[in-house]
Amino acid sequence: MTAAGQGNVLVSRLIHRAHAEPGWYLYAPSCALVEADRARPGTAEHLAALPGITVLDLDLPAALAVAQQETWAAAHSQYAAQPTPDRPDGAIVATTTPKRWDGEPVRVLDLNA
């Protein structure tokens, strides 16, 4: 999320596609949004205002998943990437730190390319 405020071209393209193309969605887990805002103030407000971004609430199942992990942001992101009835294939975690996700049950999009 902080990559969006740092001019990452791939993030800009993802945001544009989510806004302009039907069937493209970008999810912002609220815990990850908070962490991004702490690292780069203003990030949360900016991303939440974009029409192509869907902020995911910390509901009870997500809170229970977060309680079992080391960091709230990573746990909420991993939880959000799991398959659901709305997203049977799950979601992809777009990140500038893909190594952090090694061994985790998520698909990753490396934003460093």
Side-chain angles (χ1 to χ4, degrees), residues 4-30:
Q6 295 172 335
N8 184 297
V9 174
L10 293 176
V11 175
S12 295
R13 288 179 184 164
L14 288 172
I15 291 169
H16 173 74
R17 288 189 91 166
H19 174 67
E21 294 185 34
W24 274 81
Y25 303 97
L26 285 179
Y27 301 101
S30 55

Side-chain angles (χ1 to χ4, degrees), residues 67-107:
Q68 298 174 15
Q69 298 290 328
E70 215 172 289
T71 70
W72 286 38
H76 199 188
S77 297
Q78 182 174 334
Y79 173 81
Q82 300 309 305
T84 66
D86 292 341
R87 298 181 308 274
D89 294 329
I92 298 170
V93 175
T95 181
T96 56
T97 56
K99 294 285 184 206
R100 184 264 169 257
W101 296 98
D102 284 352
E104 298 292 343
V106 297
R107 296 178 295 156

